[in-house]
Amino acid sequence: MASEAGWSCDANDAVHITVVQPGEKKPKTLSTFHPQFTYPIFGDDEQIFGYKGLIIRLRFAAHDLRPHCHISYDEKFKPIGDTQALNLLDTLKPFVQEEAFGNLQDYEKAVQDDPNAKDFKPPGEFVIGYDIGDRKYEVWAGPLADPEVRKLLDRVQVLVSLFIEAGTPLETDDPEWTLERWTVYFVYEKVTPPTPTASSYSIVGYATTYRYWRYQRDLSEAPTVKNGDFPLPEVKVSELPSRIRIAQFLILPSHSRSGHGNQLYTTIHAACIADPTVVELTVEDPNEQFDALRDTADYTLLQPEFLKHNVNLNPDPHGSYSQKKRPRVVPTSALIPTKVLQDIRTSFKIETTQFAHILEMYLLGQIPKSHRLAGGTNLARLLIKKYKATDENDRRYYWWRMLTKQRLYKKHKELLNELELLDRVEKLDATVQNVEEGYEITLDALEARMSEGGAGEDGEGSEGEWEDLREVGAPTGSRDKRVKRKLTVMDDEDEEEDGAGLAKRPKV
């Protein structure tokens, strides 16, 4: 009787994702890479039972993402009672388009001799073009209600399950009014066609955004009952005050570390700023890598504005630093120009918590490093002298910590109030230090990038290392140090029992 041992293989290794384009005689491979995750398809263990030498090759045409799934193996397990090899087709079909399971020769012929390839343009409207080195790229965008946009998204959505932890592919068979709320941004490289009939477009990545209505009542008017005509006139969602939420964001591994993530994010942000109906840009469950990319882009955008308005911490919000009276609350409006900052936030349409992160990072950067924890400042002595410290930069650093603590406490008040006072103080201190460490890493990376003349654009700069394929989705559980913003209130026993909780802590 055959043994079951040795018949399982790693699903991440077995799946090969390939981008192809026409060649001289048959399609040629542009890039091949493995998925980051396969548990949505093959289970938590990410193992496939019943095959030896298994290769599951997912092919995508570079221009229109025409898919094909080809399965090959050396041996297949012969059933023993109820034990049998995994049915690969049944397992893959809920995630891969039906058209992908056709004949390989027919697929290769369709890619090689596509009569529409030469005239192919990405669906939607052209948004922006940009260069990286001597290579040219374009961003196109269109509503999900557009059948061509929907077709491309349907073809590529299997990558959501393979590269975004806990990512969920979009339902594209919803009513048109719902699909109109979605916009899909495609990033393409403009290439020299490999054959006379081939396309000049090659996929780089894509993002999806969702528009949802934000109620804004005119506070100057008292609520009244109005007798108007019924039925009400038709209202288009696109004309209502709305927030835009980035839901999915993918840059192919063959194009990572080149600045495309930053370019795509800033393109989406610019579109929001230009749209008078958009109130705010938000992100759905970003992981740490996307947080870092977003922080970099937003900081680069806001820093000149902060400098223009001379935004800085007031080291003496109550007058002379030597005063003896202890302030009972953090004097926020005396420390920073709150009205100016609110105007900046609303004009750039940045969500409140994200704006607070960027502001805190900027204010920290305005304090000389020798007066910050990263520069070796004597924190114990500062905590004794507090706002009475002799050096104004020490006082700025003290007030910076107090402002950050205040924000953290307000956001997590209910959680923190469950702790004893000493434990609460300890948790806040530890979290502020984590936040500061994350900011320092981002500030150092930004400084290095500036000193290198923006090297991130050619694939070697510090920005690129944050720009991985898994840029938006549920947190990846990465142990990356760059952005340590997790306020953790757990018993030691809980932490040992549930390590998965690391990916589910509230963002601060």
Side-chain angles (χ1 to χ4, degrees):
M1 181 176 290
S3 170
E4 298 179 22
W7 285 96
S8 290
C9 64
D10 188 297
N12 292 344
D13 291 337
V15 176
H16 297 238
I17 302 162
T18 303
V19 179
V20 299
Q21 68 176 14
E24 290 186 6
K25 295 182 179 179
K26 60 183 296 186
K28 67 176 183 179
T29 297
L30 286 178
S31 61
T32 297
F33 43 92
H34 294 285
Q36 182 67 24
F37 315 106
T38 51
Y39 68 84
I41 301 176
F42 298 106
D44 290 344
D45 293 335
E46 296 185 325
Q47 294 288 308
I48 299 174
F49 175 76
Y51 302 88
K52 292 184 178 180
L54 176 65
I55 296 177
I56 301 172
R57 192 175 300 278
L58 296 175
R59 291 181 174 88
F60 296 92
H63 67 297
D64 66 358
L65 302 176
R66 182 192 298 267
H68 185 264
C69 180
H70 182 257
I71 301 170
S72 63
Y73 49 84
D74 296 331
E75 296 181 65
K76 183 175 180 180
F77 183 80
K78 293 181 180 179
I80 301 176
D82 293 335
T83 303
Q84 55 186 336
L86 179 68
N87 188 318
L88 293 173
L89 288 179
D90 286 351
T91 304
L92 289 166
K93 282 183 177 180
F95 297 89
V96 181
Q97 287 289 288
E98 182 68 30
E99 63 177 319
F101 297 98
N103 181 274
L104 176 59
Q105 286 71 32
D106 292 342
Y107 175 77
E108 292 184 341
K109 185 177 186 304
V111 171
Q112 187 71 13
D113 303 320
D114 182 355
N116 301 316
K118 185 176 181 180
D119 298 322
F120 172 86
K121 287 186 178 180
E125 300 291 333
F126 173 82
V127 179
I128 193 173
Y130 63 95
D131 297 345
I132 295 180
D134 59 354
R135 301 172 73 169
K136 297 185 179 299
Y137 301 88
E138 295 179 357
V139 180
W140 293 67
L144 197 52
D146 181 335
E148 292 302 313
V149 171
R150 191 159 62 250
K151 181 170 74 172
L152 256 65
L153 186 66
D154 283 337
R155 286 175 167 179
V156 78
Q157 279 208 99
V158 63
L159 298 185
V160 172
S161 300
L162 300 176
F163 288 98
I164 299 179
E165 188 168 0
T168 304
L170 302 184
E171 293 290 340
T172 59
D173 58 354
D174 285 341
E176 185 169 335
W177 68 269
T178 298
L179 298 180
E180 284 284 356
R181 295 185 176 194
W182 289 92
T183 299
V184 186
Y185 289 81
F186 294 103
V187 184
Y188 275 88
E189 181 177 5
K190 203 72 190 299
V191 299
T192 301
T195 66
T197 59
S199 173
S200 59
Y201 285 95
S202 181
I203 191 68
V204 171
Y206 82 95
T208 62
T209 66
Y210 179 73
R211 173 186 288 265
Y212 61 105
W213 176 54
R214 183 190 183 190
Y215 174 67
Q216 291 181 297
R217 184 172 70 84
D218 187 349
L219 298 179
S220 64
E221 294 184 5
T224 58
V225 177
K226 297 181 180 179
N227 295 319
D229 295 334
F230 190 84
L232 297 174
E234 181 181 358
V235 177
K236 293 185 178 180
V237 174
S238 60
E239 297 174 354
L240 297 173
S242 303
R243 286 187 175 98
I244 295 293
R245 174 172 290 168
I246 298 175
Q248 299 168 330
F249 196 104
L250 299 174
I251 300 296
L252 299 184
S254 52
H255 291 278
S256 65
R257 297 181 174 269
S258 299
H260 295 294
N262 181 77
Q263 184 67 54
L264 180 53
Y265 173 79
T266 54
T267 298
I268 294 171
H269 194 172
C272 292
I273 292 174
D275 187 340
T277 67
V278 174
V279 177
E280 212 168 65
L281 174 64
T282 66
V283 180
E284 181 178 340
D285 296 331
N287 62 24
E288 291 183 357
Q289 290 163 314
F290 189 85
D291 269 337
L293 182 150
R294 183 187 184 193
D295 285 352
T296 304
D298 288 345
Y299 186 94
T300 303
L301 181 69
L302 292 176
Q303 183 193 36
E305 198 71 13
F306 291 153
L307 291 171
K308 183 174 76 174
H309 291 279
N310 296 316
V311 174
N312 206 342
L313 275 166
N314 178 6
D316 304 310
H318 291 290
S320 173
Y321 72 87
S322 62
Q323 66 162 334
K324 295 182 179 180
K325 182 180 178 181
R326 180 180 178 182
R328 300 184 63 181
V329 295
V330 178
T332 306
S333 59
L335 286 169
I336 53 176
T338 53
K339 176 62 170 63
V340 169
L341 292 170
Q342 175 64 10
D343 290 343
I344 294 173
R345 188 192 73 80
T346 54
S347 64
F348 284 91
K349 303 182 181 182
I350 295 178
E351 182 266 333
T352 304
T353 301
Q354 174 64 8
F355 186 82
H357 292 154
I358 303 304
L359 175 63
E360 288 169 2
M361 193 188 313
Y362 171 80
L363 292 173
L364 181 66
Q366 297 304 104
I367 302 169
K369 198 164 190 176
S370 59
H371 294 267
R372 304 179 337 227
L373 196 61
T377 192
N378 190 327
L379 186 58
R381 184 174 61 186
L382 179 63
L383 292 178
I384 294 173
K385 290 185 173 292
K386 299 183 179 180
Y387 57 92
K388 296 181 181 180
T390 305
D391 192 293
E392 70 173 26
N393 286 312
D394 287 335
R395 299 198 297 277
R396 281 196 176 95
Y397 183 55
Y398 167 77
W399 286 120
W400 180 88
R401 287 175 55 85
M402 293 302 293
L403 275 176
T404 306
K405 281 186 180 182
Q406 175 181 252
R407 179 180 65 81
L408 293 172
Y409 180 76
K410 285 181 177 178
K411 183 161 187 179
H412 302 287
K413 183 177 181 179
E414 184 176 337
L415 191 64
L416 287 166
N417 283 346
E418 295 176 1
L419 303 176
E420 296 294 332
L421 178 60
L422 290 178
D423 291 338
R424 188 187 315 159
V425 171
E426 182 181 336
K427 286 295 182 185
L428 269 177
D429 281 336
T431 305
V432 169
Q433 183 170 332
N434 281 347
V435 169
E436 184 176 351
E437 288 175 2
Y439 290 162
E440 291 286 5
I441 292 168
T442 304
L443 288 169
D444 287 346
L446 283 162
E447 183 179 349
R449 195 178 95 184
M450 294 300 292
S451 64
E452 294 170 7
E457 293 181 354
D458 62 9
E460 301 297 331
S462 58
E463 173 199 6
E465 66 184 276
W466 299 340
E467 182 197 318
D468 206 345
L469 192 66
R470 307 171 300 282
E471 287 175 336
V472 177
T476 62
S478 167
R479 303 302 184 264
D480 197 323
K481 288 179 60 181
R482 292 186 187 89
V483 184
K484 300 173 77 174
R485 296 180 179 166
K486 309 300 180 187
L487 178 66
T488 313
V489 181
M490 303 175 70
D491 294 333
D492 291 340
E493 293 180 0
D494 293 338
E495 191 167 3
E496 292 174 359
E497 291 174 2
D498 187 14
L502 289 169
K504 301 182 183 297
R505 297 170 184 166
K507 180 177 175 182
V508 300

